[in-house]
Structures are given as structure tokens and as C-alpha cells.
Amino acid sequence: LDKMMGYLKYPPADTCCRVNLISSSVDEVVAELTNHLKEQNSNYSYSIKQHEKIEDLVVIRGGSSQSSTGMDELYLFNSPQKVSSTRIEENELQLSALKKRRGRGWPMTHRVVVVDRFCGEAVLRGANIFVKGIICADAGIWKGEEIAVYADIRLSKSKSLTRGLLLENYSGRCVFLGIGISCCKRSEYFSQSTGIGVRMTQTAGPPQPPLNGVLGGKMML
């Protein structure tokens, strides 16, 4: 049981899609999924093929990363202490705040956003981050900046957090999810009600394709 519970803590390597053979075919779904994932300009390549034994099942597995940062291991749950990026300069923060940041284990190479648990689960299944899922963020984040993403994993009975907190005021428990590109500046995370806040480029686990709403009627996840 302990071994099984251990495996359940990790996202799966494969994404399985059940084909609706009444309205489509396996070959058609494979072709359309291939075109869809090519249009995503993902950092990863994907293998898309029919299951060996289940004729109406298509299996998608992420391949090697095309990124130059070297984060193409199957499972990577380390925050980006040495990833090349726009560095947070020491003259942007008071020395005491910088020491506190180091002491709490936040990366010194990236600004950070923290998302809620449900958003974090979606990210590990290939989703990007909508603004509604962001709980708190570093000050000074700008559109187009590469940022580190963490998920809040406090117990459900814990006191809820106020959206819009500065990262320095966050006191919960979180885990590293991956790296993404901010689609807007920090203030817009919390002033907008819809839209993508962060486009994920690398995740801490097997790469998963974003398939929400894709080929509706022809397949289901």
C-alpha cells in the first residue's frame, strides 16, 4: 500500500484518450492531435500512437525537451536555483529582505508565483495557468518574464489566503511545479477575472499536452 501511495504522488507519464468510434476513427484522432500539438509550439515533442491492445485508445507520451536549460528529465522536482534567467539583482531589494528570501528557500534566479492546489494539479496535466488560480506573486513581475511556479499544498482546513499577497507575506507550504512565461504584469494577475496569467514551458514531471476542450465529441480523456 505504501508503495502504491508513493506512485500516486507523481503525475503519469502517459495521457490516454478514448476515441469515439461512432463519430471518428483512431487514425483521424491521431492525425488531428499531432497537428494540434505542433501548433502549440511546445518545448517538448510527443509520441502519439494507438494502444497496443485497446483498439479505441490513443496514448500520448512526452519526449525530449527542446529547451536549452536542460530540464528534460522525466521527473524533476527541484526549484530553479541554477537555471539561466534574468537574475533578481540585489539592489532591487533591501539586504534584509534578500536574506529572508534565501532563508525561506525561494529561488534567487527567478521571481515566483504561487497557485492554488487545483490549479497546480491541472498544470501537472499540461494546463497553463489562468489568473484566477494565482494566489500570490513576487513584486515587479512583468509581461514576458520567465518565472518559477509553485503550488500551495496546505491542508484544506487551513485558513484561506487572500489573493494578491506579496510572496514575502506567504506563510504556507508549497511545492515546485515548473517554469513559465508571464503573460501579463503582476497587477493584472489580480485585477483581471479571466485569461491566461502564465504560459508553462517546463514542468516538474513528465511533459503533458494541454488538451482541455480539444476534439470534443471525437475523444475523451
Side-chain angles (χ1 to χ4, degrees):
L1 180 60
D2 289 342
K3 188 175 183 180
M4 182 181 296
M5 293 301 294
Y7 283 126
L8 290 174
K9 294 179 181 179
Y10 296 89
D14 295 331
T15 297
C16 297
C17 307
R18 203 70 181 259
V19 178
N20 182 353
L21 296 179
I22 296 176
S23 61
S24 187
S25 67
V26 170
D27 289 340
E28 182 181 354
V29 167
V30 168
E32 292 190 36
L33 283 174
T34 300
N35 291 334
H36 168 73
L37 293 178
K38 284 182 179 178
E39 293 172 357
Q40 299 303 304
N41 296 318
S42 171
N43 285 333
Y44 296 95
S45 60
Y46 292 94
S47 166
I48 307 173
K49 59 184 181 181
Q50 184 179 20
H51 192 275
E52 295 177 355
K53 296 184 178 180
I54 305 175
E55 64 177 14
D56 62 346
L57 194 67
V58 172
V59 180
I60 307 172
R61 171 168 288 194
S64 60
S65 169
Q66 300 171 14
S67 170
S68 61
T69 57
M71 295 181 66
D72 57 354
E73 291 84 355
L74 186 59
Y75 290 99
L76 179 59
F77 285 89
N78 298 318
S79 60
Q81 298 297 335
K82 297 182 179 179
V83 179
S84 175
S85 178
T86 303
R87 187 173 178 81
I88 299 175
E89 298 295 339
E90 295 196 8
N91 59 11
E92 292 185 25
L93 300 169
Q94 294 180 354
L95 186 58
S96 59
L98 194 61
K99 289 180 178 179
K100 182 179 179 181
R101 184 184 182 90
R102 284 198 183 101
R104 297 188 63 185
W106 297 118
M108 305 306 296
T109 55
H110 292 66
R111 291 184 175 89
V112 170
V113 299
V114 179
V115 301
D116 63 42
R117 180 189 291 266
F118 297 110
C119 180
E121 292 173 353
V123 166
L124 291 178
R125 293 297 297 167
N128 290 312
I129 296 172
F130 286 83
V131 291
K132 279 292 189 179
I134 300 174
I135 297 173
C136 68
D138 260 318
I141 293 176
W142 40 269
K143 183 178 180 180
E145 179 178 357
E146 185 178 77
I147 56 178
V149 179
Y150 291 75
D152 178 64
I153 57 169
R154 295 170 306 123
L155 298 175
S156 57
K157 62 182 180 181
S158 300
K159 183 179 179 180
S160 62
L161 296 173
T162 302
R163 288 188 70 244
L165 281 176
L166 286 170
L167 186 70
E168 62 193 62
N169 296 325
Y170 174 77
S171 58
R173 182 185 177 201
C174 61
V175 293
F176 175 63
L177 288 179
I179 300 295
I181 302 297
S182 180
C183 296
C184 54
K185 60 185 180 180
R186 185 194 188 280
S187 61
E188 293 172 337
Y189 290 160
F190 309 109
S191 63
Q192 298 182 120
S193 58
T194 60
I196 294 177
V198 181
R199 179 175 58 83
M200 297 301 296
T201 57
Q202 300 162 310
T203 55
Q208 301 285 345
L211 295 177
N212 184 36
V214 175
L215 301 186
K218 293 185 177 182
M219 71 169 201
M220 65 178 183
L221 296 176

